[in-house]
Amino acid sequence: MAFSKQTRQEMIQNLQKDLDLLIIGGGITGAGVAVQAAASGIKTGLIEMQDFAEGTSSRSTKLVHGGIRYLKTFDVEVVADTVGERAVVQQIAPHIPKPDPMLLPIYNDEGPTTFTMFSVKVAMDLYDQLAKVKGTKFENYTLTPEEVIAREPHIKKEGLQGAGVYLDFRNNDARLVIDNIKKAVADGASAVSKIKAVGFLYEGDKIVGVKARDLLTGETIEIKAKLVINTSGPWVDKVRNLNFKRAVVPKMRPTKGIHLVVDAKKLSVPQPTYFDTGKHDGRMVFAIPRENKTYFGTTDTDFQGDFTDPKVTQEDVDYLLEVINHRYPDAHITLDDIEASWAGLRPLLVGNAGSDYNGGDNGTISDESFKKVIETVSEYKENKVSREQVEDVLNHLETSRGEKELSPSQVSRGSSLVREEDGLITLSGGKITDYRKMAEGALKLIRQLLADEYQMTVKEIDSKTYSISGGDFDPTKVEETVEKNAQIGIEAGLTKEEAAYIADFYGTNSLKIFELAKTIEAYPGLSLAESARLRYGLEEEMVLTPADYLVRRTNHMLFERDSLDQIKQPVLDAIADYFDWSEEEKAKQASELEEVIAESDLKNLKEEAR
């Protein structure tokens, strides 16, 4: 399937033929809507003003997180939805989310904490019931302080009570987006990056399309569609405000989260670890091993700046370094140790103070309610009461302040789907784990509107079983599939390590890369494996710039910083040759790439500190 700069102009032309549905925003939400709409036979277009996933969906904590924190307030509905959707995503994209059990250490010397050893076991048992992993190798367990220290010898020892270990999943957020986009395109959608909605088209007061500017050529086009859906994440209100005919009440309250990357030798964390900050601020932080690196985060602060380029500030760095050095007192991480970083915005809804993992004062449960929960969960485990009875207890809790309902700061992070007066559909909020379910809800509304207003009958697909690009294999046999496909890579001339990495990273699309390895010559300065990956990105993943490839199609920028300086010029040279760039264009692209690297390296902060 060709999905490249060469096919981009053709797709722009297709956008100008009347569409059934136009999607504004090419992050995970828009990608999820696109894949379901295209599979349903809806004539679908998608536009994204940056690269796919560039705005927010490549800047997450890179987990398909189960949300165990919500069980602090026994928010069963959210956790049940989250772990259920996580299982679905693992079914339709088995090459992307990978099980990676999480360690949750418990301390008793830091004042109020999220969990105690008692409450974490109750929460994990309930979590396992909801995740349906009871009795499997992924069932939770607890560790003594000695066992925690044996596993993580550098962790803070004072006050350590032990730890819980429960199932979580690592994720490659940007790849989840691009593989959804690729599947939508394979099913007939036209998806174009670096094209920006600049205004709406109207019939009377009703929106019937958009004016869009191609940021590569400067050309402005008109895209007409029966329905337009706004899936632009933190930009939702900015898109809504393109309609100057009416006042728009803000829906979004974006918050910024940052992550920092150091070498694993500097901070050895054998498995993902999730802990209270120790700052009495009600927040939790992750430390996660990945490709010989360790990254940690996240912060959670309100954001009012430039949405396209949120920055890591010295204040952000100071906060995380204080937390990480408190939790790992022998590490002594400094600004100079940081090899890479990223900052991203969470598309929180106004009035919704809870994020995925931390933030907000989530309150405490009254003693009476807590006792009732323990009794009911215990009875459920003995098959004396039904799940519905458990949920009834959990959904009618009282807080220690005697409130009958959860306070606004206890609202779990949700999503919103509305059709506005002007006809614009807006799908906002949510989190990566929920993207398929959010899209499913949007498609239900879209099908109904097409039927009611255009007499169109649209088939309904089962999106819980509809595999995305690269995910068309048995999800119960991931390791076997990777091993089998890697052997084909070895036969194509790659090393065992290279072939295994590509087979794991790309799923069944690895076979296309291995086929390329048989037919192309390595680019100067690049290995055959890297050359085949780059060619695949250029031909089938709409790589338009070096940063597209180095940041969002691969992990070079974030988790392979050691080799980035060696390959960045060969990658630039290869892309320039492939696109036949002028020397002027090549110099411009080189300068932009250096800016991206400098920002990730925190070059300015390091220079200011000297």
Side-chain angles (χ1 to χ4, degrees):
M1 178 200 78
F3 183 47
S4 66
K5 188 174 182 180
Q6 279 74 14
T7 63
R8 183 175 181 274
Q9 192 57 43
E10 179 183 341
M11 282 190 286
I12 288 176
Q13 292 172 357
N14 288 339
L15 289 175
Q16 295 174 80
K17 301 171 184 177
D18 288 358
L19 301 173
D20 297 328
L21 177 69
L22 175 64
I23 302 163
I24 304 174
I28 190 60
T29 307
V33 173
V35 77
Q36 292 188 35
S40 300
I42 296 170
K43 189 177 180 183
T44 302
L46 180 148
I47 58 174
E48 163 58 48
M49 67 177 180
Q50 302 181 93
D51 182 26
F52 301 117
E54 183 173 352
T56 288
S57 297
S58 60
R59 300 167 183 254
S60 73
T61 301
K62 304 186 187 301
L63 297 171
V64 186
H65 191 47
I68 196 170
R69 182 185 67 86
Y70 291 129
L71 291 181
K72 176 188 176 186
T73 49
F74 296 99
D75 197 341
V76 171
E77 183 178 1
V78 168
V79 178
D81 283 349
T82 300
V83 296
E85 274 307 294
R86 184 177 66 187
V88 172
V89 175
Q90 204 276 328
Q91 292 285 314
I92 63 177
H95 58 307
I96 298 181
K98 304 290 172 59
D100 208 358
M102 184 76 67
L103 179 75
L104 202 164
I106 305 297
Y107 290 85
N108 73 345
D109 66 336
E110 298 176 349
T113 58
T114 302
F115 290 109
T116 64
M117 285 301 297
F118 175 71
S119 65
V120 79
K121 182 58 179 171
V122 172
M124 291 192 307
D125 285 347
L126 181 55
Y127 182 91
D128 282 0
Q129 295 282 357
L130 297 170
K132 299 179 181 177
V133 295
K134 196 78 173 173
T136 74
K137 66 178 181 179
F138 294 119
E139 184 173 353
N140 80 79
Y141 57 93
T142 58
L143 299 175
T144 66
E146 294 75 20
E147 289 170 328
V148 176
I149 293 168
R151 185 174 296 194
E152 289 208 19
H154 303 294
I155 204 165
K156 177 174 176 276
K157 300 172 180 62
E158 291 79 14
L160 181 64
Q161 296 295 290
V165 179
Y166 65 94
L167 177 63
D168 221 333
F169 281 70
R170 70 182 183 272
N171 183 34
N172 190 321
D173 46 12
R175 290 225 57 87
L176 188 63
V177 174
I178 193 63
D179 281 340
N180 271 276
I181 294 280
K182 284 155 58 182
K183 183 63 172 179
V185 170
D187 284 341
S190 294
V192 182
S193 59
K194 304 187 195 312
I195 186 167
K196 181 179 181 179
V198 294
F200 289 119
L201 303 175
Y202 301 91
E203 285 183 2
D205 290 331
K206 184 180 179 184
I207 290 173
V208 294
V210 304
K211 295 178 182 177
R213 181 179 300 116
D214 185 343
L215 301 182
L216 297 187
T217 67
E219 178 188 8
T220 299
I221 64 172
E222 293 189 350
I223 307 172
K224 294 183 179 179
K226 294 180 177 70
L227 299 173
V228 179
I229 185 167
N230 175 10
T231 61
S232 55
W235 286 265
V236 154
D237 286 336
K238 295 182 183 296
V239 171
R240 295 169 68 227
N241 275 307
L242 292 176
N243 183 355
F244 299 109
K245 297 187 175 185
R246 64 179 180 85
V248 171
V249 178
K251 295 177 67 70
M252 308 307 298
R253 197 209 76 185
T255 64
K256 185 183 75 172
I258 75 141
H259 297 78
L260 306 176
V261 184
V262 298
D263 193 273
K265 295 185 183 70
K266 188 64 183 175
L267 180 63
S268 176
V269 180
Q271 75 179 97
T273 305
Y274 187 32
F275 44 80
D276 282 292
T277 63
K279 295 172 69 68
H280 311 298
D281 57 6
R283 302 188 186 282
M284 299 185 74
V285 164
F286 291 97
I288 302 173
R290 193 138 184 180
E291 300 183 43
N292 300 315
K293 305 296 176 187
T294 301
Y295 70 95
F296 49 92
T298 175
T299 56
D300 201 12
T301 54
D302 282 308
F303 185 77
Q304 303 292 335
D306 179 5
F307 284 16
T308 61
D309 192 22
K311 302 286 189 184
V312 176
T313 66
Q314 186 64 53
E315 185 179 7
D316 296 328
V317 173
D318 290 344
Y319 178 89
L320 281 185
L321 290 187
E322 183 178 351
V323 169
I324 208 73
N325 287 322
H326 170 74
R327 193 59 64 204
Y328 297 92
D330 298 330
H332 306 297
I333 303 294
T334 69
L335 175 62
D336 285 335
D337 294 316
I338 298 168
E339 296 186 357
S341 67
W342 68 92
L345 302 182
R346 300 183 184 89
L348 295 183
L349 300 173
V350 169
N352 186 348
S355 72
D356 269 338
Y357 315 123
N358 56 29
D361 172 16
N362 287 295
T364 57
I365 304 302
S366 69
D367 291 341
E368 183 178 349
S369 279
F370 190 80
K371 182 180 178 181
K372 182 65 175 175
V373 168
I374 300 302
E375 291 174 352
T376 308
V377 170
S378 298
E379 291 175 349
Y380 174 77
K381 292 168 70 175
E382 296 171 4
N383 296 317
K384 294 181 179 178
V385 299
S386 68
R387 172 175 171 153
E388 287 72 23
Q389 288 172 286
V390 175
E391 291 180 350
D392 183 67
V393 171
L394 296 173
N395 288 329
H396 294 84
L397 296 172
E398 292 185 10
T399 70
S400 57
R401 294 182 295 273
E403 296 166 343
K404 299 294 184 181
E405 299 294 337
L406 297 178
S407 67
S409 65
Q410 293 171 269
V411 177
S412 297
R413 184 174 170 190
S415 60
S416 169
L417 174 67
V418 296
R419 194 188 194 196
E420 306 192 51
E421 299 170 11
D422 54 18
L424 180 68
I425 302 168
T426 296
L427 178 60
S428 55
K431 50 189 182 291
I432 285 182
T433 311
D434 296 337
Y435 88 92
R436 184 217 60 89
K437 188 172 185 179
M438 290 170 63
E440 183 181 58
L443 261 293
K444 181 178 180 181
L445 173 62
I446 288 164
R447 285 194 305 272
Q448 188 63 52
L449 292 173
L450 289 175
D452 292 347
E453 298 178 10
Y454 297 96
Q455 293 72 55
M456 283 182 59
T457 301
V458 177
K459 68 179 180 181
E460 182 176 356
I461 66 157
D462 182 359
S463 60
K464 291 183 177 180
T465 61
Y466 198 73
S467 299
I468 68 170
S469 183
D472 51 339
F473 62 94
D474 187 343
T476 67
K477 298 182 177 179
V478 175
E479 293 179 1
E480 299 91 324
T481 302
V482 168
E483 185 176 350
K484 176 183 174 183
N485 291 345
Q487 187 58 42
I488 297 172
I490 294 170
E491 293 168 3
L494 307 189
T495 68
K496 182 178 180 180
E497 183 180 25
E498 290 170 337
Y501 184 89
I502 291 172
D504 181 67
F505 196 82
Y506 292 92
T508 55
N509 286 326
S510 64
L511 301 178
K512 297 181 179 181
I513 296 173
F514 297 149
E515 194 61 35
L516 282 169
K518 296 177 184 178
T519 60
I520 68 170
E521 292 185 9
Y523 293 118
L526 298 178
S527 67
L528 179 60
E530 195 68 63
S531 299
R533 293 176 77 193
L534 178 55
R535 179 68 70 86
Y536 177 73
L538 290 166
E539 293 183 350
E540 298 204 26
E541 294 199 332
M542 195 59 77
V543 167
L544 300 177
T545 71
D548 291 350
Y549 179 72
L550 294 169
V551 182
R552 289 170 293 279
R553 304 300 184 273
T554 67
N555 287 338
H556 285 300
M557 186 80 75
L558 300 182
F559 306 126
E560 300 173 82
R561 185 63 181 85
D562 313 77
S563 60
L564 179 63
D565 290 336
Q566 298 171 6
I567 70 166
K568 65 183 181 182
Q569 189 62 45
V571 166
L572 175 66
D573 291 342
I575 295 176
D577 183 64
Y578 187 83
F579 289 144
D580 194 24
W581 282 341
S582 66
E583 286 301 316
E584 181 183 12
E585 177 64 23
K586 185 176 178 180
K588 175 176 172 287
Q589 293 288 340
S591 175
E592 290 178 357
L593 176 60
E594 288 302 326
E595 287 181 12
V596 172
I597 294 173
E599 186 170 314
S600 175
D601 287 352
L602 302 183
K603 183 178 179 180
N604 288 343
L605 295 185
K606 291 174 181 177
E607 288 178 350
E608 290 172 4
R610 291 191 178 103

